[in-house]
Amino acid sequence: MTKEHDEANNALVCSGNSSRCAQIRLVASDPEVYEPCDDSFALVDALLAERANLVEFKPNLCMEIGCGSGYVITSLAIMLASQGRTGVHYMATDLNEVAAQVTCKTLEAHGVHAEIVCTDIASGLDRRLVGMVDVMVVNPPYVPTPEEEVGCHGIAASWAGGEHGRRVIDRILLVVQHLLSIRGWFYLVTLTANNPLEICLMMREKGYESRIIVQRSTEEESLHVLKFWRSKDSPPQRESNTANASSDSSYFTLPRWAFWRGR
Amino acid sequence: MRLLTHNMLSSNIKGVTNGFPLQLEVEKMVVKEVAFNGDFLKNIFPKIEWKALLDAAVAMGCGDLPENAEATMLDNEEFLRKFHHALLQLHLEEGALICPETGRRFPVSKGIPNMLLHEDEV
Ligand SMILES: C[S@@+](CC[C@H](N)C(=O)[O-])C[C@H]1O[C@@H](n2cnc3c(N)ncnc32)[C@H](O)[C@@H]1O
């Protein structure tokens, strides 16, 4: 593609409200694939709230585990491209073959690209991709269910999370620690039943700090989008800027821990 | 599937110690134009297993890459163009990836490699 082409494409993406994320009418679907829902929107809202940070962060490699319809990875690619961030490589995995195909269609319909691999979490990528992922996004199967529903084929794998909804999340956490680059950022959707406080504490033991980017309650569930990054002594980049981008973001500090239990 | 992805994949079968690189079985390949970005290439170069990329490119019918590559070559525009083409523009649409140790075939369909394992392989 020539430079002119590129700019024309960017202009196209930038015009109108559609510039910020994937358009629902262009998201491909299939009865076997998870449709964008409140959790998907919460995750994309979190990424939008972080957009200025992400643009400045200049990620080389962004990855999603469990891409489903492709709504999230497509939105991330559009978001960064519309801000002139080119030369970013996107990857996504899903256990569900149909989801992998649907994600390709969604990406194509929006004129962006990601490499898709059909696999369990990041199996097959975990050796060579160690320490390479700058931005990882995950909306995992988090619903508490009987163990036998976890990881089955088709749509049930989209939500089935086993005990406390943590069966897949806990495996993902281990893989993500392995794949994340030293400066890497990790965004994770959780449900209150998943015990996000405990997740943050577990990650802290591994040297990661965390904060809540988005917090949202519906009648059925209370969702949090958490962000993790490897702790340095100094706070992460441009904290002050995220505050105005997202009014509901809050630091994850000690006194706030009490609030998890209240829900 | 781009050859960059091929370069990041290895056989995940339980007990396999030498699962990289996977061999390419090419049924259908396509060239897709990708915007050139020299900085991306320079960033990713240290992570690339050159021999695996070279062999994969040859399997895809592209014999343009030099036998060996080192960081100093990244200042050479002609080299960068070839690297760009092999790494990002050659796509395996249909075919398979073969485990070098067991010969297990991982199918690639509609450009998507399938690394899912059977129960007895996990
Ligand atoms: C809650 S859905 C999220 C889909 C999409 N990212 C979104 O936000 O709309 C979870 C996705 O993870 C996939 N998934 C479940 N277990 C997985 C695993 N072990 N490895 C990879 N993907 C998995 C499911 O197939 C499903 O597409």
Side-chain angles (χ1 to χ4, degrees):
Chain A
M1 202 182 283
T2 63
K3 191 136 192 278
E4 287 73 29
H5 257 107
D6 240 1
E7 275 156 14
N9 269 352
N10 279 345
L12 207 82
V13 174
C14 286
S15 63
N17 292 334
S18 53
S19 70
R20 288 156 58 93
C21 59
Q23 300 174 57
I24 289 298
R25 66 181 178 88
L26 294 180
V27 173
S29 67
D30 185 285
E32 286 298 300
V33 178
Y34 191 80
E35 269 182 49
C37 269
D38 290 338
D39 46 5
S40 327
F41 300 134
L43 180 52
V44 168
D45 286 349
L47 296 173
L48 282 169
E50 286 272 293
R51 184 162 62 159
N53 289 333
L54 286 164
V55 168
E56 189 161 295
F57 185 54
K58 298 193 181 140
N60 291 313
L61 179 60
C62 301
M63 180 169 176
E64 178 174 18
I65 293 172
C67 52
S69 66
Y71 176 72
V72 178
I73 192 75
T74 303
S75 295
L76 182 61
I78 291 173
M79 209 179 287
L80 293 180
S82 70
Q83 299 291 305
R85 226 350 105 235
T86 57
V88 187
H89 189 72
Y90 299 91
M91 295 193 76
T93 68
D94 205 293
L95 189 68
N96 177 346
E97 280 173 70
V98 189
Q101 290 172 15
V102 165
T103 291
C104 284
K105 287 186 193 147
T106 299
L107 287 157
E108 229 165 77
H110 290 86
V112 290
H113 182 83
E115 287 285 290
I116 311 300
V117 178
C118 181
T119 194
D120 178 22
I121 302 185
S123 179
L125 291 163
D126 35 9
R127 269 182 47 202
R128 295 272 301 131
L129 220 52
V130 175
M132 279 181 65
V133 178
D134 293 321
V135 175
M136 179 71 88
V137 296
V138 185
N139 177 10
Y142 55 63
V143 179
T145 62
E147 290 298 312
E148 56 274 17
E149 283 177 29
V150 176
C152 54
H153 283 283
I155 187 107
S158 304
W159 63 75
E163 197 185 356
H164 304 299
R166 286 280 292 276
R167 202 48 73 224
V168 186
I169 291 178
D170 285 352
R171 288 175 53 223
I172 289 175
L173 294 179
L174 292 177
V175 174
V176 169
Q177 290 164 24
H178 198 60
L179 298 190
L180 221 51
S181 68
I182 289 175
R183 63 186 191 121
W185 291 349
F186 168 38
Y187 298 88
L188 175 72
V189 179
T190 62
L191 197 66
T192 309
N194 303 145
N195 199 348
L197 164 64
E198 193 194 66
I199 294 176
C200 291
L201 289 175
M202 272 170 55
M203 289 295 280
R204 172 171 290 196
E205 266 173 36
K206 305 285 181 188
Y208 291 87
E209 292 183 51
S210 51
R211 68 180 274 217
I212 303 160
I213 305 292
V214 164
Q215 179 184 319
R216 197 161 287 173
S217 301
T218 64
E219 266 174 31
E220 302 117 60
E221 51 188 21
S222 172
L223 294 168
H224 298 92
V225 181
L226 308 175
K227 174 181 177 180
F228 298 91
W229 66 93
R230 208 159 289 193
S231 50
K232 293 172 227 131
D233 291 325
S234 56
Q237 292 89 326
R238 300 186 54 172
E239 287 298 354
S240 53
N241 256 28
T242 43
N244 57 35
S246 161
S247 54
D248 53 1
S249 66
S250 50
Y251 284 102
F252 186 69
T253 52
L254 261 167
R256 287 203 150 262
W257 289 1
F259 112 102
W260 297 112
R261 287 179 218 118
R263 300 203 164 215
Chain B
M1 185 197 73
R2 294 174 173 176
L3 293 190
L4 172 54
T5 302
H6 168 259
N7 214 272
M8 295 301 143
L9 281 172
S10 35
S11 174
N12 48 355
I13 301 168
K14 189 180 173 201
V16 166
T17 51
N18 215 347
F20 182 88
L22 299 161
Q23 285 155 22
L24 258 64
E25 192 182 287
V26 185
E27 268 167 47
K28 183 182 170 202
M29 68 83 79
V30 287
V31 177
K32 296 187 191 170
E33 274 205 62
V34 176
F36 179 85
N37 189 306
D39 289 337
F40 175 76
L41 295 171
K42 287 171 192 170
N43 284 330
I44 199 81
F45 178 80
K47 309 284 188 183
I48 297 298
E49 288 279 349
W50 191 259
K51 179 83 169 78
L53 178 65
L54 180 74
D55 291 347
V58 169
M60 298 276 268
C62 162
D64 280 355
L65 292 178
E67 281 292 317
N68 296 297
E70 43 191 286
T72 51
M73 295 160 85
L74 292 168
D75 296 328
N76 180 325
E77 176 80 12
E78 196 193 330
F79 170 75
L80 276 186
R81 292 276 166 192
K82 287 177 181 169
F83 181 34
H84 168 77
H85 181 68
L87 191 71
L88 303 175
Q89 299 200 139
L90 302 177
H91 282 247
L92 181 61
E93 272 298 300
E94 301 291 333
L97 304 171
I98 318 284
C99 169
E101 201 171 297
T102 63
R104 155 75 141 91
R105 235 174 135 260
F106 295 96
V108 177
S109 159
K110 300 190 173 113
I112 303 168
N114 187 331
M115 301 303 292
L116 293 177
L117 297 173
H118 308 304
E119 254 166 49
D120 57 349
E121 295 172 323
V122 187

